[in-house]
Amino acid sequence: MADESDAESRPLRVAVVGAGPAGIYAAETLTRRAPVPVTVDLLDRLPTPFGLVRHGIAPDHPKMRAIRDTLHRALDDPGVRFVGNVEVGTDVTLEDLRAHVDAVVYTYGAALDRPLSVDGEDLPGSLAATDLVAWYCGHPDADRARVESALEGVRRAVVVGVGNVALDVARVLARAPQELEPTDMPQHVLDVLAAAPVEEVTVLGRRGPAQASFTTMELRELDGLEQATVLVDPADLELSPAAEERIAGDRNATRNLAVLRGWAGHDAGPGRVALRLRFHRRPVRLLGADRVTGVEVERTTVGDDGRATGTGEFEVLPADLVVRSVGYRGEGLPGLPVDQRSGTVPNEQGRVLRDGRPSPGEYVAGWIKRGPSGVVGTNKHDARETVTSLLADAEAGVLRSGGDRDDLVRTLQARGAEPVLLEDWRAIDAAEVALGATRGRARTTMHERETLLAAVRAATAR
Ligand code: NAP
């Protein structure tokens, strides 16, 4: 450990674990707001930065994905060093990492899916939205074989859940191939989606339209698809006067209902994909012997407490693909506690709690801090709160002092790891743009870790 005078004469050293929006905002806030010089190592287990902005935001939302240009400015800051392709817990232990820096901010998100916990959930043809999203965004860890076999020959898909991720999934499945062509989806994704003969996509809410968590802009977008028509059963939209009164103060719910009512009574028309939104139905079982053939659902009513109760009326929705989009959850890193119920790291204003007490030098931001909620910009405020706690602790002198700044990358390299730095990421970036150009696209995402690393090695060899 460095001695005190050494610690005072050098910048405050921070490692941020996770180079998604929460991590990048934390790094940016640290370098901009700290009253003392700060250097940040921004670690990610992938060779690429941007987290869910690259591997979560739907590729047919190019304006939202353009936020990566803004995020890139933080990576260009000389006080921030991107260190990709490094897995904390495998390539470097938490204890090791903490010996290199004065503070660690965990911002690695919530990558796991939540299960439905119903029979048949593990059948082929049943996927978590996290699987499908990872695949269509070209995440290196996506299970290509499983997703692609689930999509083979799909005519009828059911998406369980009525959040924005469910709408992303439904939209991507219902889009015409020519609508997806300009995106940066990997070529094999475009090919598989173009070959799937999708006729019907049903999005299923276990409660009513007034309780749906999707936002109005995302809902409205469903109406603009080239080959799909949105269908809503007017009976699903009937609300009791008490329910009407209850949602009157909820702008999102009021607007959603107005949009849904505008669609009631539409017809799909021949040759168009029927994109159905159905409410008050909860899945009780996925049917099928060796692959999914349908979902058995129970009708529900929503009580005054907002909870769904089964009515005992059942119905079967035929389906050859079922995607559960019922939320994400986070997990701990080896050596870091996680609350199993919420899937978040226990914290107080971003300070990690161990045995209920703040652990000096350990912080969280983003989904692993507050759970999977909000939009990209939400992480800015979230990171600010965490950084404020960190800087207050630095000022109060409670951080322990870490080692030499360059050591982390050198240590990793000496152990045979292959850290990807900013220049290496630029080589990947250029290779993706060049790959896109071969087909007249702005970019094609390279999905295999080995291909990403090969682009780095090729640039290094030049
Ligand atoms: P979400 O908004 O929490 O939606 C989860 C959905 O799953 C809810 O409709 C929930 O219904 C349902 N659900 C949960 N358990 C269920 C069960 N056992 N059976 C049936 N349904 C169940 O989560 P998300 O869609 O994963 O989105 C995560 C966050 O990312 C959100 O903040 C979202 O807005 C954001 N996001 C934003 C965009 C965008 O801005 N374009 C795009 C994607 C994601 P209940 O309400 O009844 O529990």
Side-chain angles (χ1 to χ4, degrees):
M1 189 181 287
D3 70 27
E4 232 170 72
S5 55
D6 176 32
E8 275 166 17
S9 62
R10 61 156 175 80
L12 180 70
R13 290 178 193 134
V14 182
V16 174
V17 180
I24 293 181
Y25 287 135
E28 184 178 47
T29 312
L30 271 163
T31 52
R32 286 202 185 154
R33 292 207 21 202
V36 292
V38 181
T39 57
V40 180
D41 277 339
L42 182 59
L43 275 58
D44 203 287
R45 69 188 188 85
L46 295 182
T48 53
F50 308 132
L52 282 186
V53 169
R54 180 178 162 99
H55 291 126
I57 291 181
D60 65 335
H61 276 167
K63 281 197 186 132
M64 286 174 71
R65 285 165 80 89
I67 199 166
R68 63 170 112 182
D69 298 338
T70 316
L71 297 177
H72 217 294
R73 284 206 283 278
L75 298 188
D76 290 331
D77 185 317
V80 176
R81 179 169 66 165
F82 172 64
V83 188
N85 201 32
V86 171
E87 182 138 17
V88 174
T90 308
D91 296 315
V92 56
T93 64
L94 280 194
E95 207 38 52
D96 246 1
L97 181 62
R98 295 203 57 201
H100 285 88
V101 293
D102 306 313
V104 181
V105 187
Y106 307 105
T107 60
Y108 59 88
L112 302 179
D113 66 283
R114 285 193 180 273
L116 286 174
S117 307
V118 298
D119 283 349
E121 195 167 13
D122 297 326
L123 280 170
S126 162
L127 295 176
T130 46
D131 297 327
L132 192 60
V133 171
W135 172 78
Y136 67 56
C137 289
H139 192 294
D141 297 342
D143 188 341
R144 266 190 74 178
R146 206 165 132 259
V147 174
E148 290 176 16
S149 82
L151 285 169
E152 209 179 315
V154 166
R155 292 185 187 281
R156 285 178 290 205
V158 168
V159 182
V160 179
V162 282
N164 281 329
V165 172
L167 295 193
D168 281 348
V169 165
R171 208 178 55 247
V172 166
L173 289 174
R175 277 214 192 265
Q178 65 272 19
E179 290 177 282
L180 297 176
E181 186 62 33
T183 70
D184 56 16
M185 283 176 167
Q187 191 58 45
H188 65 89
V189 170
L190 292 179
D191 296 343
V192 169
L193 288 173
V198 176
E199 294 165 2
E200 183 180 72
V201 179
T202 301
V203 181
L204 208 61
R206 64 175 166 180
R207 299 191 289 160
Q211 289 84 26
S213 57
F214 47 61
T215 40
T216 312
M217 199 168 82
E218 282 62 33
L219 179 65
R220 233 182 238 133
E221 193 186 352
L222 297 182
D223 203 24
L225 308 193
E226 270 183 39
Q227 66 170 21
T229 305
V230 191
L231 304 176
V232 185
D233 180 352
D236 271 0
L237 306 181
E238 282 167 17
L239 296 185
S240 65
E244 287 275 9
E245 200 177 317
R246 218 174 39 245
I247 67 153
D250 180 337
R251 274 175 62 179
N252 190 56
T254 305
R255 287 180 185 169
N256 284 348
L257 267 159
V259 171
L260 291 165
R261 283 177 177 146
W263 290 334
H266 278 189
D267 272 333
R272 291 183 65 79
V273 175
L275 208 177
R276 283 180 208 287
L277 300 176
R278 303 191 74 181
F279 297 94
H280 296 296
R281 282 163 181 84
R282 69 176 180 202
V284 289
R285 199 152 55 106
L286 270 54
L287 307 169
D290 38 14
R291 87 165 271 157
V292 167
T293 56
V295 191
E296 185 176 353
V297 298
E298 182 181 17
R299 296 208 52 153
T300 63
T301 54
V302 178
D304 283 346
D305 59 356
R307 294 173 76 94
T309 315
T311 61
E313 296 162 74
F314 295 87
E315 142 188 30
V316 170
L317 308 180
D320 23 42
L321 172 71
V322 176
V323 184
R324 59 180 183 278
S325 180
V326 296
Y328 291 69
R329 72 194 155 93
E331 58 183 335
L333 288 176
L336 188 68
V338 70
D339 177 305
Q340 292 300 337
R341 200 183 46 81
S342 64
T344 57
V345 171
N347 73 92
E348 218 170 63
Q349 292 173 315
R351 292 182 175 94
V352 171
L353 301 177
R354 289 184 183 268
D355 301 323
R357 304 237 304 269
S359 165
E362 288 193 294
Y363 305 87
V364 274
W367 278 10
I368 195 62
K369 170 186 176 188
R370 68 174 194 277
S373 66
V375 293
V376 173
T378 313
N379 294 299
K380 215 170 198 170
H381 307 284
D382 187 324
R384 202 171 291 153
E385 180 189 64
T386 297
V387 167
T388 302
S389 297
L390 189 159
L391 294 176
D393 291 351
E395 173 75 23
V398 298
L399 304 185
R400 69 180 194 187
S401 177
D404 187 345
R405 176 173 192 231
D406 285 323
D407 267 350
L408 180 59
V409 168
R410 275 209 301 272
T411 308
L412 287 163
Q413 284 167 336
R415 288 179 188 169
E418 209 175 337
V420 166
L421 306 182
L422 185 61
E423 280 313 304
D424 305 327
W425 153 245
R426 288 194 206 285
I428 294 173
D429 194 32
E432 289 192 335
V433 170
L435 182 62
T438 61
R439 292 208 177 217
R441 308 170 77 199
R443 167 192 301 273
T444 296
T445 302
M446 300 192 307
H447 69 281
E448 282 172 338
R449 192 181 280 265
E450 269 314 304
T451 316
L452 296 165
L453 295 177
V456 173
R457 291 179 201 129
T460 314
R462 273 202 289 273

